[in-house]
Amino acid sequence: MKKTILTGLRPTGNLHLGHYFGACKNYIKMQDDYDFYLEIADVQALTDNFNHPEKVRFNVFEITKDLLAIGLDPNKVNFFIQSKIPEIAELTVFYSNLVTVSRLERNPTVKSEISQKKELFGANGESITYGFLGYPVSQAADITAFHGELVPVGDDQLPLLEQCREIVRKFNSIYGETLVEPEQVLSSTTRVKGLDGNEKMGKSLGNAIYLVDDAETIHKKVMGAVTDPKKIRKDEPANPDICMVYYYHQLVSPKKQVEKVCQECKLGSRGCVQCKKELIAAMNLFLMPIQERRKYYEQQPEIVQKILDEGTEKARKKASEQMKKVKHAMKIDY
Ligand code: TRP
């Protein structure tokens, strides 16, 4: 029997290179070896976008197309929409008794998100909503509703997984052995840096290259990428390790080319403009097959809808079986 893997994505924008190299690329390998559930977490997206429902709705379809475009096979991966699985909402209510408010307030991921969202939650988090503070509980429901054994996520999600494991242990200790403690699948790739040299590529940071970026956009973004600031003239030697252009060459250019870029940069025999032009070409080549596959789905939205409908139906079946066990354990199986 294949192990069950579950992961989720908030539909708030298109996938960028950070998502791709940081997590999604691994999914392509995993889809063959696991029973794979991929949640489009619209309910979670609403916790900090409750005032922008149209944005969340639009991005449910955008992100699904992005995920199909990178090569996830809908015959192997169950794509589903969180809000269409009422069992997740039910479990969230049951689990909320097993978590203290102070434990949620101490969750490092939640804490840092609250401090980043001052407009919504106040300068010191004084306007934090019940829903946002509680989303780790809902995420524990996401995972356990499908008996998720493995969760492939980046390091920023570790505190959420730990919180899920605590809920599982507490549930099992009170109601009897019912749920499994999920484990993290460490992604072999690391966090992808932004065009501005920031440690993290992110939508809100405005430093991302998206999988949907066209040639013109790539040109503009790469031309503006941060290079070694000490290099003024094109025949001056520079340090590739602090150059974002070299950094992205490592992601998308052939190995030989990467070595050449590194050597010539250090020697001063390569100008930055030339180097950027080569990166633009390599980046477009990398994005081309992804964008071509995406076009197929863009032209046939009914296929995307069908993939979501079928995946959601399978997910619903699995969640309702799990729900029976949970209700039985909690003695509410009237
Ligand atoms: N919190 C995750 C993120 O922001 C998305 C997510 C929702 C998720 N539900 C999940 C991740 C369940 C793993 C498992 O990226």
Side-chain angles (χ1 to χ4, degrees):
M1 265 252 297
K2 284 182 180 174
K3 282 198 171 180
T4 301
I5 213 162
L6 179 130
T7 194
L9 289 138
R10 291 184 194 177
T12 53
N14 285 107
L15 294 184
H16 52 61
L17 294 185
H19 296 116
Y20 181 80
F21 288 104
C24 300
K25 197 179 164 199
N26 282 348
Y27 303 166
I28 301 167
K29 280 184 257 151
M30 289 169 184
Q31 64 181 345
D32 290 314
D33 303 328
Y34 298 98
D35 193 14
F36 200 144
Y37 290 84
L38 212 172
E39 176 181 277
I40 311 298
D42 60 340
V43 177
Q44 190 177 114
L46 283 166
T47 59
D48 59 343
N49 289 281
F50 52 84
N51 47 354
H52 297 294
E54 66 298 321
K55 172 181 157 190
V56 174
R57 187 189 175 100
F58 176 73
N59 282 303
V60 165
F61 297 97
E62 284 300 292
I63 211 162
T64 305
K65 281 181 276 187
D66 285 346
L67 290 163
L68 290 164
I70 64 168
L72 292 181
D73 179 348
N75 295 312
K76 297 176 182 162
V77 177
N78 293 309
F79 288 83
F80 71 96
I81 302 178
Q82 184 185 10
S83 61
K84 296 198 80 172
I85 313 287
E87 287 82 359
I88 294 175
E90 280 184 83
L91 284 175
T92 305
V93 174
F94 301 154
Y95 295 168
S96 64
N97 294 327
L98 309 177
V99 175
T100 64
V101 173
S102 68
R103 174 67 180 86
L104 288 167
E105 285 168 345
R106 270 186 276 119
N107 185 309
T109 305
V110 177
K111 241 165 113 175
S112 85
E113 283 174 308
I114 292 172
S115 72
Q116 282 162 22
K117 297 173 205 285
K118 294 193 175 16
E119 268 168 57
L120 210 51
F121 300 138
N124 302 306
E126 65 281 5
S127 309
I128 184 68
T129 59
Y130 169 59
F132 192 82
L133 185 66
Y135 94 73
V137 184
S138 161
Q139 186 155 321
D142 292 343
I143 298 167
T144 54
F146 304 96
H147 209 71
E149 295 165 286
L150 298 168
V151 184
V153 283
D155 283 351
D156 63 315
Q157 294 290 306
L158 270 182
L160 289 152
L161 203 59
E162 195 42 49
Q163 187 131 36
C164 174
R165 292 158 61 86
E166 280 176 36
I167 291 172
V168 167
R169 286 198 292 269
K170 187 123 193 216
F171 186 101
N172 288 344
S173 77
I174 297 171
Y175 304 116
E177 225 32 62
T178 313
L179 308 171
V180 286
E181 270 187 58
E183 278 170 45
Q184 183 199 26
V185 187
L186 270 169
S187 117
S188 54
T189 36
T190 40
R191 191 170 271 192
V192 177
K193 293 182 190 174
L195 284 157
D196 55 356
N198 193 305
E199 277 306 307
K200 193 180 168 190
M201 179 178 278
K203 181 180 31 137
S204 50
L205 299 165
N207 63 4
I209 294 178
Y210 292 92
L211 301 180
V212 290
D213 281 347
D214 60 15
E216 202 183 314
T217 310
I218 294 294
H219 185 93
K220 240 190 268 159
K221 286 184 176 174
V222 171
M223 282 302 177
V226 167
T227 54
D228 181 348
K230 289 215 186 85
K231 178 165 166 134
I232 314 271
R233 291 186 333 259
K234 77 175 197 185
D235 55 357
E236 255 175 329
N239 178 6
D241 293 333
I242 56 170
C243 172
M244 286 305 110
V245 178
Y246 175 63
Y247 180 81
Y248 297 128
H249 266 299
Q250 291 174 295
L251 295 178
V252 297
S253 295
K255 219 172 165 198
K256 274 240 164 73
Q257 166 78 354
V258 174
E259 282 165 17
K260 188 166 164 246
V261 171
C262 182
Q263 269 173 1
E264 292 180 356
C265 177
K266 283 182 179 162
L267 288 170
S269 61
R270 149 176 295 262
C272 291
V273 172
Q274 171 66 17
C275 195
K276 285 176 172 176
K277 284 192 174 147
E278 287 172 13
L279 175 63
I280 291 165
M283 191 65 81
N284 287 331
L285 211 59
F286 164 76
L287 293 175
M288 203 165 59
I290 297 178
Q291 296 183 354
E292 238 150 57
R293 228 174 290 139
R294 197 179 198 282
K295 221 173 267 156
Y296 168 82
Y297 292 106
E298 281 164 8
Q299 286 163 354
Q300 299 172 91
E302 66 283 359
I303 295 184
V304 180
Q305 184 70 55
K306 189 162 172 263
I307 288 168
L308 286 167
D309 287 346
E310 289 178 359
T312 300
E313 203 180 303
K314 278 191 205 143
R316 184 94 211 263
K317 245 186 219 138
K318 179 117 175 171
S320 76
E321 283 163 24
Q322 181 76 341
M323 201 66 217
K324 275 187 204 138
K325 288 185 206 156
V326 166
K327 286 192 168 171
H328 179 72
M330 293 179 71
K331 307 201 185 304
I332 51 175
D333 54 341
Y334 309 109

